[in-house]
Amino acid sequence: MKQDSTRNTSYTVDCEDYVHVVKFNPFDSGDSCSLIAYGGNNYVVVGTCRFQEEDAEVEGMQYKTLRTFHHGIRVDAIAWSPETRLDAIPPQIRFCTAASDRKLRLFTSDLQDKNEFKTFDGHTDYINDLVFAPNEGQEIASVSDDHTCRVWDLEGNEKAHFVLRSSGMSVCWHPEEAFKLMVAEKNGTIRFYDLITQQAILSLECEQTPLMSADWCLKNTFKIGAVAGSDWLIWDITRSSYPQDKRPVHVDRARLFRWSRVNENLFATTGYPGKTTTQLLVHHLGHPQPILTGTAAVGSGLTWHRTLPLCAVGGDHKIFFWVTEM
């Protein structure tokens, strides 16, 4: 069945608050459902999703809230820990947030009585992104408008500190490259750091600004994608430090870039929220035009499902889900 390239959402979930950020758990939590976390003005909600695309007994999608965590301040970014397990007894939920007060908060819960959180202080300006070490989950990296990338242990001690030349917009940690960190800067430079020597080992150039978001392809470690200005850009790091492919996509400015977790040629971008709607575009490198165009009322955040070609965007009291083709 051919999908229309411009289409409404496949599914929506109603939320009690404006959704600033939404994040599928990228790690296997040992359960057939997918974990999703979203952040609003005061709290983080953790829930599970199941879709008819993966389970014929589900009609459309099933969503269930597991727990609401009081946050007390607007949530700007969320990262899942690989230590999150739903199949453990008791289960463990662990994630970290960045908030508008320049602090990281590490939450750990067994979904019953144990609910702990620790605050990490150190950044002196807005935190744009954060990520857990993908294999053991014993460290967290974060990037900020304070021109630093910092690596923390789970007690909040700073283990490494990289000085950047502009705001850090994105930080990625690849499970197959556990000793390297990718840091994307607003000035259009993407650098890879060796975490053992704590030195920069490779850099890529956009040749345009502002770079707002970049991502490291899960399925192909040589592929890096980003949005800068109104374009998406893609590098093959084995070939050149300059983009191999780029295309203008968003009329105003592009905001986020995310690779699909199931296909190395599939990725999504979002534009800046306009007066009423945000545009989501899903692209396939084999197609000259976007294969899906979606709109969400003042949407924010962008996340792909771990095993399906399905992405989600947050919005006004809603999360929107789109299913695409491989």
Side-chain angles (χ1 to χ4, degrees):
M1 186 182 87
K2 188 95 179 82
Q3 296 171 334
D4 296 332
S5 66
T6 301
R7 48 195 284 266
N8 296 329
T9 50
S10 304
Y11 313 109
T12 56
V13 167
D14 291 320
C15 309
E16 287 172 39
D17 193 359
Y18 184 87
V19 179
H20 290 288
V21 58
V22 58
K23 198 71 178 275
F24 277 116
N25 181 7
F27 306 109
D28 181 4
S29 65
D31 192 83
S32 62
C33 293
S34 298
L35 282 164
I36 193 166
Y38 64 89
N41 290 319
N42 283 301
Y43 50 77
V44 178
V45 177
V46 169
T48 58
C49 303
R50 191 119 178 96
F51 299 90
Q52 66 183 16
E53 284 75 11
E54 56 190 337
D55 182 349
E57 291 179 12
V58 173
E59 279 187 41
M61 83 169 281
Q62 286 170 353
Y63 169 80
K64 182 177 132 205
T65 293
L66 294 181
R67 181 172 281 269
T68 299
F69 296 85
H70 183 69
H71 196 260
I73 189 167
R74 190 185 73 208
V75 184
D76 290 325
I78 299 173
W80 281 98
S81 164
E83 292 191 290
T84 292
R85 300 300 299 184
L86 288 177
D87 58 350
I89 300 173
Q92 171 162 280
I93 298 284
R94 177 170 279 167
F95 61 91
C96 190
T97 63
S100 48
D101 61 358
R102 309 166 181 181
K103 293 176 172 42
L104 300 176
R105 288 169 176 79
L106 174 66
F107 290 82
T108 307
S109 170
D110 64 2
L111 299 175
Q112 291 145 17
D113 310 324
K114 180 188 158 190
N115 290 289
E116 305 168 353
F117 87 91
K118 291 192 185 86
T119 304
F120 299 5
D121 291 306
H123 280 297
T124 57
D125 207 337
Y126 194 83
I127 301 163
N128 291 307
D129 197 16
L130 73 164
V131 63
F132 274 84
N135 298 325
E136 310 294 327
Q138 295 306 298
E139 292 175 313
I140 297 165
S142 56
V143 287
S144 163
D145 284 348
D146 67 10
H147 295 201
T148 67
C149 170
R150 298 169 196 239
V151 180
W152 317 77
D153 67 16
L154 299 189
E155 298 302 315
N157 303 306
E158 214 176 275
K159 296 310 228 182
H161 182 119
F162 302 107
V163 177
L164 312 177
R165 291 171 202 173
S166 64
S167 294
M169 301 306 290
S170 295
V171 58
C172 299
W173 213 326
H174 200 290
E176 291 164 37
E177 297 278 3
F179 297 107
K180 290 182 191 146
L181 209 53
M182 186 202 94
V183 175
E185 294 189 41
K186 199 168 191 174
N187 67 5
T189 302
I190 299 171
R191 275 195 194 80
F192 291 81
Y193 292 93
D194 182 316
L195 289 168
I196 309 294
T197 63
Q198 299 197 5
Q199 298 294 314
I201 48 175
L202 176 73
S203 71
L204 307 176
E205 294 298 335
C206 280
E207 299 189 290
Q208 60 194 80
T209 59
L211 183 157
M212 296 307 294
S213 172
D215 197 18
W216 194 346
C217 182
L218 178 70
K219 289 288 178 191
N220 182 343
T221 55
F222 297 145
K223 272 182 158 162
I224 308 298
V227 286
S230 57
D231 299 2
W232 59 252
L233 309 97
I234 289 176
W235 291 260
D236 174 341
I237 61 174
T238 61
R239 293 190 177 187
S240 170
S241 60
Y242 296 102
Q244 194 184 354
D245 208 350
K246 73 172 187 177
R247 215 159 290 168
V249 274
H250 293 279
V251 183
D252 289 340
R253 253 203 301 156
R255 175 66 192 93
L256 295 170
F257 182 108
R258 299 275 187 273
W259 290 105
S260 146
R261 306 193 66 78
V262 294
N263 182 330
E264 66 169 78
N265 292 311
L266 195 63
F267 61 97
T269 59
T270 59
Y272 262 84
K275 292 186 174 59
T276 55
T277 59
T278 298
Q279 197 179 39
L280 162 87
L281 296 173
V282 176
H283 313 268
H284 189 288
L285 285 175
H287 293 261
Q289 300 298 324
I291 59 170
L292 186 153
T293 304
T295 50
V298 290
S300 49
L302 173 61
T303 185
W304 283 92
H305 191 278
R306 192 175 70 84
T307 56
L308 294 172
L310 179 153
C311 58
V313 170
D316 187 5
H317 291 75
K318 279 186 170 28
I319 300 171
F320 304 101
F321 299 87
W322 284 271
V323 181
T324 184
E325 296 168 10
M326 293 281 267

